[in-house]
């Protein structure tokens, strides 16, 4: 734009035409756009960041490219038209602005000189003001320094005046003058409590002033001897007044004595010397009492006024009486005054000296060499500690007592691991001795509380001993629990060692039932010393079952009450897991007993083969009763039940179960034997069908044989029922079904 000539404004705007030639149209303040929106896209599709041409085409792959191209060209043409419209919208204002700026440069040059002069004058004034400000700041700093030194001098003067006041209050101006006790009236007429307050306040102020000064200050260093003398004198006088107040409150039941004690204790709190108040109580009250009560001679004296109590218990009772009776009012006053501070007269001034004195003067009570004496000492001390904790009036005091270093050290002195090792050796050696002793099973052994074998009795005694009140100690519950599980595991190992292994070839070998080779049945062999082995198995069966029950009873009655805070379900689960090796032996032992009795009971079944010889070609009368051998079949079972009635009395359900198993086993063998015999009878009958039958009262020999078999089976079933077995189930039912056709086929058989 040229600044020399006037700018002409045009009332026209540039509008692009279709052929690209521009034409002028009248200027309008508002633009109107008449573009056509494409069908396949809108302009917002190009504003995505970043814009992807490939994605744009891919989204519109259903539109023909020619159509998409024509729409894009039309959109471009419309966009250019809108851009021209936007430019022409403010074109007139732009032309007018150019005309108005003619001559502005000359005017600016005319103003440049005066403005520079004003800037120079402002800089001069600014420099003057800065110099004045610096001078004022220097003078203010000097005045602040003077004020600070003046304040420091006043501080030193205040320290000196405070020392002089304390000298007068404590009568230290003359070295030969002895200051009165703080609780007494001073020569100036102030009563005791008021004088104590004045001295405490003045001393507190002195400490505050000294805290604001430097220890290297020559003036303060020069006053240090006086300050130390004041501190020592104040400490001595306060200690003397406090000790006399302690004794007055403990001896005399006067409210004034408690008021004076509270005043002196508040003085200690105000000067932040609570620990000195506690130390004074230890020196004048606690230690004189403990020196008379806690001595070696008192504990070693066997002549006690109360023969039922040990000397240690008597000593603890005296200490508790001292705390709850003699020191009760002092503790109440101190508790009110020391509230909100670190002071605790019961814990720091009574309990801590008690534990320290016990550790120092009577350390032999911690020795575990004699476990019985150690147990008495520990339980008595635990009871004393519990009683002492009951004197704590607040939970805060109780927590402070339990976490106090003296308490931790006192409890560490008790040699609990050593005590447990001694008890462990005693219990384990006794049980191991019982397990190592030889046991003879040739004779009957007398039962003791339902138990037959001595190692089982030893197990019960040792487990009960672990949790007996005369042996068990709190703090060793997990060790005794582990010992209990170890004892059970050792007992299970002993049982497994004495029982024949399940895979023993001698136990797995078979014998042939004395009937026929085709009727052989595999059963355990009957050993030569069968009675002794049967007795052994019955004893083990009884003890394993009874021991499991009694151990669970001990767990519920003796162990659980002592396992406070433990997970009882986990304890019971671990106990049941320790029973598992024993319980695994029970079915095997029971099976051995059953198979042994079955082997004894099936011996008479060999007589079944003699039945045909009794009736063939003999003209013998028809049978009316069971054969003689039937009474001998279950005789071993009855003898065992009667001979070991005491064992089966404690395991009645096991006796019935084993009787049923034995009867089923014998009935099964009996059924097999009779089936073989009946098959032979049938074959013989078919063979001799063409021959003349020998008849006696209308019955053939084969009918008599079947009648005898029927009577024998009925006799056996009666014995089985007498033995407690169910004769209508299992092998007995099979045996009954085997002979039922004989009754219908032989009219001579009468039920």
């Amino acid at each position: 734009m040229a600044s020399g000539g006037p700018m002409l404004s045009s009332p026209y705007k540039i509008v692009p035409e279709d052929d690209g030639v521009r034409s002028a149209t009248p200027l309008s303040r508002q633009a109107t756009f008449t573009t056509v929106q494409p069908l396949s896209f809108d302009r917002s599709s190009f504003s995505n960041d970043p814009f992807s041409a490939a994605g744009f085409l891919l989204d519109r792959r259903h539109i023909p490219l020619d159509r998409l191209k024509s729409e894009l060209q039309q959109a471009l043409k419309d966009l250019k038209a809108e851009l021209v419209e936007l430019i022409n919208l403010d074109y007139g204002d732009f032309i007018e602005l150019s005309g108005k700026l003619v001559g502005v440069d000359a005017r600016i040059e005319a103003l440049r000189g005066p403005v520079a002069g004003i800037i120079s004058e402002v800089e001069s004034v600014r420099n003057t003001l800065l110099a004045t400000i610096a001078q004022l700041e220097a003078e203010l700093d000097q005045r602040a320094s003077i004020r600070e030194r003046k304040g420091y001098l006043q501080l030193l003067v205040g320290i000196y005046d405070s020392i002089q006041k304390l000298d007068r209050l404590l009568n230290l101006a003359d070295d030969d003058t002895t200051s009165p006790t703080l609780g007494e009236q001073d020569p100036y007429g102030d009563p005791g409590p008021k004088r104590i307050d004045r001295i405490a306040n003045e001393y507190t102020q002195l400490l505050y002033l000294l805290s604001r000064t430097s220890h290297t200050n020559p003036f303060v260093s020069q006053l240090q001897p006086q300050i130390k003398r004041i501190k020592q004198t104040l400490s001595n006088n306060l200690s003397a007044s406090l000790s006399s107040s302690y004794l007055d409150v403990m001896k005399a039941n006067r409210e004034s004595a408690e008021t004076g004690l509270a005043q002196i204790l508040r003085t200690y709190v105000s000067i932040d010397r609570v620990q000195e108040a506690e130390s004074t109580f230890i020196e004048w009250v606690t230690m004189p009492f403990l020196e008379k009560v806690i001595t070696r001679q008192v504990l070693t004296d066997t002549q006690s006024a109360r023969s039922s109590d040990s000397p240690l218990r008597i000593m603890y009772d005296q200490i508790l009486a001292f705390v709850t009776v003699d020191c009760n009012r002092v503790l109440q006053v101190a508790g009110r005054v020391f509230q909100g501070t670190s002071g605790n007269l019961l814990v720091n001034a009574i309990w801590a000296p008690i534990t320290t004195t016990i550790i120092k003067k009577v350390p032999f009570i911690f020795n575990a060499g004699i476990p019985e004496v150690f147990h008495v000492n520990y339980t008595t001390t635990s009871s004393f500690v519990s009683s002492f904790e009951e004197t704590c009036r607040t939970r805060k005091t109780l927590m402070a007592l339990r976490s106090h270093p003296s308490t931790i050290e006192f409890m560490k002195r008790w040699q609990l691991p050593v005590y447990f090792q001694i008890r462990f050796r005693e219990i384990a050696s006794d049980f191991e001795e019982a397990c190592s002793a030889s046991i003879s099973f040739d004779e009957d052994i007398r039962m003791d509380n339902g138990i037959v074998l001595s190692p089982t009795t030893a197990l019960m005694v040792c487990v009960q001993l672990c949790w007996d009140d005369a042996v068990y100690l709190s703090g060793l519950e997990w060790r005794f629990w582990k010992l209990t599980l170890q004892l059970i595991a050792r007992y299970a190992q002993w049982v497994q060692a004495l029982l024949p292994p399940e895979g023993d070839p001698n136990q797995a070998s078979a014998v042939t039932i004395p009937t026929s080779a085709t009727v052989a049945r595999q059963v355990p062999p009957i050993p030569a010393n069968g009675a002794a082995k049967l007795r052994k198995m019955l004893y083990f069966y009884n003890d394993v079952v009874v021991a499991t029950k009694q151990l669970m009873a001990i767990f519920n009655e003796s162990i659980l009450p002592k396992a406070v805070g433990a997970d009882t379900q986990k304890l019971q689960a671990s106990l049941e897991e320790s029973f598992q090796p024993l319980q695994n032996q029970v079915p095997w032992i029971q099976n051995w007993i059953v198979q042994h009795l079955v082997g004894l009971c099936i011996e008479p079944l060999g007589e079944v083969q003699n039945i045909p010889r009794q009736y063939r070609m003999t003209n013998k009368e028809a049978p009316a009763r069971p054969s003689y051998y039937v009474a001998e079949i279950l005789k071993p079972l009855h003898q065992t039940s009667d001979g070991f009635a005491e064992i089966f009395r404690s395991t009645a359900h096991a006796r019935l179960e084993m009787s049923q198993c034995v009867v089923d086993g014998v009935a099964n063998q009996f059924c097999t034997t009779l089936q073989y015999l009946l098959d032979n009878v049938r074959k013989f009958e078919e063979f001799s069908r063409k021959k003349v039958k020998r008849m006696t009262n209308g019955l053939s020999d084969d009918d008599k044989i079947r009648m005898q078999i029927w009577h024998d089976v009925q006799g056996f079933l009666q014995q089985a029922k007498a033995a407690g077995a169910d004769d209508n189930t299992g092998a007995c039912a099979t045996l009954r079904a085997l002979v039922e056709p004989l009754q219908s086929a032989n009219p001579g058989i009468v039920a």
Side-chain angles (χ1 to χ4, degrees):
M1 176 186 304
S3 61
M7 297 296 295
L8 299 178
S9 62
S10 175
Y12 298 96
K13 63 179 180 178
I14 304 301
V15 178
E17 296 181 352
D18 294 340
D19 55 358
V21 180
R22 298 184 178 182
S23 63
T25 60
L27 182 62
S28 176
R29 293 302 300 172
Q30 294 183 349
T32 59
F33 306 122
T34 59
T35 60
V36 180
Q37 182 71 20
L39 297 177
S40 59
F41 63 88
D42 53 16
R43 293 183 182 180
S44 62
S45 302
F46 300 98
S47 60
N48 296 332
D49 188 20
F51 172 75
S52 175
F56 178 82
L57 295 176
L58 185 62
D59 293 339
R60 293 158 181 81
R61 59 181 178 272
H62 59 282
I63 302 174
L65 292 178
D66 294 340
R67 177 184 170 186
L68 185 60
K69 177 180 179 182
S70 62
E71 290 185 358
L72 289 174
Q73 289 176 348
Q74 181 62 38
L76 178 61
K77 187 181 295 183
D78 293 342
L79 189 61
K80 289 180 179 180
E82 291 178 11
L83 180 60
V84 172
E85 289 290 338
L86 289 175
I87 294 173
N88 290 335
L89 184 64
D90 295 325
Y91 186 75
D93 293 339
F94 179 74
I95 296 300
E96 291 178 3
L97 178 62
S98 300
K100 291 178 181 179
L101 292 178
V102 176
V104 174
D105 294 342
R107 295 173 187 176
I108 292 175
E109 288 297 332
L111 293 175
R112 190 182 300 277
V115 171
I118 293 173
I119 292 174
S120 177
E121 292 177 0
V122 171
E123 287 292 335
S124 176
V125 173
R126 179 176 178 276
N127 293 333
T128 303
L129 289 176
L130 290 176
T132 304
I133 292 172
Q135 183 179 359
L136 288 175
E137 289 179 350
E139 292 178 357
L140 290 175
D141 291 340
Q142 183 179 5
R143 180 175 296 183
S145 176
I146 294 173
R147 187 185 300 110
E148 183 180 353
R149 284 182 288 176
K150 180 181 178 181
Y152 198 75
L153 289 174
Q154 290 176 349
L155 179 63
L156 296 178
V157 171
I159 293 174
Y160 181 79
D161 292 342
S162 181
I163 291 175
Q164 295 300 317
K165 289 180 182 179
L166 287 173
D167 283 343
R168 289 194 299 272
L169 290 173
L170 296 174
N171 294 329
L172 297 178
D174 187 358
D175 292 340
D176 298 333
T177 304
T178 303
S179 62
T181 304
L182 293 182
E184 301 174 356
Q185 183 174 341
D186 69 348
Y188 297 97
D190 288 340
K194 185 177 179 180
R195 182 166 176 263
I196 291 174
D197 283 341
R198 290 183 61 190
I199 293 175
N201 293 335
E202 196 63 39
Y203 184 75
T204 303
Q205 182 180 0
L206 176 61
L207 294 178
Y208 171 72
L209 295 176
L210 289 174
S211 66
R212 296 177 56 191
T213 62
S214 174
H215 295 290
T216 60
N217 186 279
F219 182 76
V220 176
S221 301
Q222 187 178 2
L223 294 177
Q224 283 298 329
Q226 290 179 269
I227 296 172
K228 291 181 180 180
R229 185 174 60 172
I230 291 172
K231 181 179 179 181
Q232 184 64 35
T233 304
L234 178 62
S235 178
N236 293 337
N237 290 346
L238 280 175
S239 177
S241 300
L242 182 61
S243 61
S244 61
S245 297
Y246 281 145
L247 298 176
D248 289 343
V249 172
M250 295 176 64
K251 293 178 181 178
N253 188 10
R254 298 195 312 270
E255 185 176 355
S256 59
E258 295 182 9
T259 303
L261 175 61
Q263 181 64 48
I264 297 177
L265 291 178
R266 279 193 291 270
T267 301
Y268 273 96
V269 173
S270 64
I271 63 177
D272 195 19
R273 291 192 176 184
V274 177
Q275 293 183 352
E276 290 188 9
E278 295 173 346
S279 300
T280 301
F281 188 86
I282 295 174
E283 180 182 358
W284 291 91
V285 179
T286 306
M287 291 309 299
F289 170 78
L290 297 180
E291 289 176 355
K292 293 186 298 182
V293 174
I294 304 177
T295 62
R296 179 182 291 269
Q297 182 179 0
V298 170
L299 295 184
T300 55
D301 186 9
T302 57
Q303 302 298 327
S304 175
R306 291 173 291 177
S307 58
S308 59
D309 292 339
S310 64
L312 184 62
R313 182 176 295 278
I314 296 174
M315 182 188 77
Y316 286 149
D317 290 343
Q318 293 176 353
I319 294 174
L320 289 174
F322 168 74
V323 176
T324 57
V325 178
D326 298 342
C327 301
N328 183 41
R329 294 168 58 223
V330 174
L331 292 174
Q332 292 179 358
V333 175
R336 293 193 299 267
V337 176
F338 289 165
Q339 188 174 5
T341 67
S342 61
N344 194 321
L345 202 66
L346 178 65
V347 176
N348 300 329
I350 298 180
W351 172 252
I354 289 173
T355 56
T356 304
T357 305
I358 291 176
I359 293 174
K360 181 179 179 180
K361 291 192 173 183
V362 287
F364 56 87
I365 67 172
F366 305 107
N367 297 334
I370 305 177
E372 293 78 9
V373 176
F374 179 85
H375 186 276
V376 173
N377 293 341
Y378 184 82
T379 53
T380 303
T381 304
S382 298
S383 177
F384 163 70
V385 173
S386 300
S387 300
F388 196 95
E389 289 180 348
E390 294 177 358
T391 62
C392 299
R393 293 181 171 84
T394 62
R395 182 173 179 82
K396 180 181 178 181
T397 303
L398 178 61
M399 294 297 101
L401 185 144
R402 291 180 176 178
S403 61
H404 198 274
S406 62
T407 305
I408 298 174
E409 179 63 24
F410 182 69
M411 299 310 297
K412 284 183 179 179
R413 292 280 179 165
W414 294 98
Q415 303 174 7
L416 292 179
V418 178
Y419 169 79
F420 176 77
Q421 289 299 326
I422 296 175
R423 290 298 191 185
F424 179 86
R425 285 198 300 268
E426 293 176 352
I427 296 173
S429 60
D430 291 344
F431 183 66
E432 192 64 32
E433 183 179 353
C435 291
S436 302
S438 59
I439 301 175
S440 175
F441 298 97
D442 295 332
E443 299 177 356
D444 292 337
I445 302 177
R446 186 172 178 272
M447 295 184 66
D448 181 15
N449 194 22
I451 296 175
V452 181
L453 303 176
S454 57
T456 311
T457 303
L459 174 66
M460 297 299 106
V461 172
C462 291
V463 172
Q464 188 67 48
L465 189 62
C466 290
W467 304 96
D468 189 81
D469 292 336
V471 175
Y472 171 81
L473 288 178
S474 59
L476 295 175
E477 50 271 0
W478 296 114
R479 294 174 182 258
F480 279 112
W481 175 248
K482 181 179 179 181
L483 177 57
T484 300
L485 298 181
Q486 289 174 335
L487 290 172
I488 297 174
R490 178 65 182 91
Y491 177 74
Q493 182 183 5
W494 174 78
V495 171
Q496 293 174 354
L498 288 185
L499 288 177
E502 299 181 29
D504 191 344
N506 295 326
Q507 296 294 331
S509 59
V511 296
T512 302
I513 304 302
T515 56
S516 173
T518 58
V519 197
R521 179 162 182 84
Q522 303 297 321
V523 295
I526 302 174
N529 55 345
K533 284 202 171 184
L534 177 61
R535 186 181 295 108
K536 174 182 177 180
M537 289 299 179
L538 287 171
Y539 288 165
F540 273 109
Y541 179 82
N542 173 83
D543 280 22
V544 169
V545 174
V546 174
T548 304
K549 294 180 180 179
Q550 292 190 4
L551 286 173
M552 187 57 69
I554 294 174
F555 174 77
N556 293 324
E557 297 172 3
S558 301
I559 299 178
L560 282 184
K562 294 180 173 64
V564 180
D567 191 339
T568 56
Q569 293 183 352
K570 290 185 177 179
L571 290 180
Q572 185 171 354
S574 62
L575 182 64
E576 292 175 352
E577 184 178 355
S578 67
F579 289 161
Q580 198 61 40
L582 292 174
Q583 293 175 343
N584 291 340
Q585 298 292 331
V586 173
W588 185 87
I589 297 175
Q590 187 176 6
N591 182 65
W592 191 98
I593 295 172
V594 168
Q595 295 298 334
H596 181 81
L597 292 177
V598 169
L600 294 177
C601 292
I602 64 177
E603 287 184 354
L605 295 182
E607 299 296 328
V608 174
Q609 302 300 325
N610 297 327
I611 294 177
R613 290 193 289 270
Q614 296 177 10
Y615 294 99
R616 282 202 176 99
M617 309 298 292
T618 60
N619 291 327
K620 190 175 181 180
E621 294 294 331
R625 63 181 62 84
S627 302
Y628 70 92
Y629 74 91
V630 176
E632 301 294 326
I633 295 177
L634 295 181
K635 188 175 182 179
L637 177 61
H638 292 293
Q639 290 177 346
T640 302
S641 299
D642 296 339
F644 299 94
E646 191 173 0
I647 290 179
F648 287 119
R649 189 179 299 114
S650 58
T651 56
H653 68 284
R655 181 186 67 82
L656 294 176
E657 183 179 354
M658 284 192 291
S659 296
Q660 184 68 49
C661 293
V662 171
V663 169
D664 286 344
V666 176
N668 192 19
Q669 184 62 41
F670 197 11
C671 185
T672 304
T673 305
L674 292 179
Q675 182 66 51
Y676 175 77
L677 179 60
L678 290 173
D679 290 342
N680 289 339
V681 171
R682 180 180 54 80
K683 293 177 182 179
F684 185 82
E685 186 177 19
E686 292 177 354
F687 175 76
S688 60
R689 182 177 298 172
K690 296 180 180 181
K691 298 181 179 180
V692 180
K693 296 183 180 179
R694 298 182 60 83
M695 306 290 290
T696 303
N697 296 329
L699 295 176
S700 65
D701 294 343
D702 295 333
D703 292 336
K704 295 177 183 179
I705 294 172
R706 293 187 180 94
M707 290 178 64
Q708 185 64 59
I709 292 174
W710 188 87
H711 285 296
D712 291 351
V713 170
Q714 298 303 317
F716 172 78
L717 293 177
Q718 291 178 1
Q719 289 191 19
K721 189 174 183 180
D726 188 357
D727 60 342
N728 293 318
T729 60
C732 291
T734 304
L735 185 61
R736 187 187 300 275
L738 178 65
V739 298
E740 280 182 356
L742 302 181
Q743 183 180 8
S744 59
N746 293 274
I749 299 178
V750 181

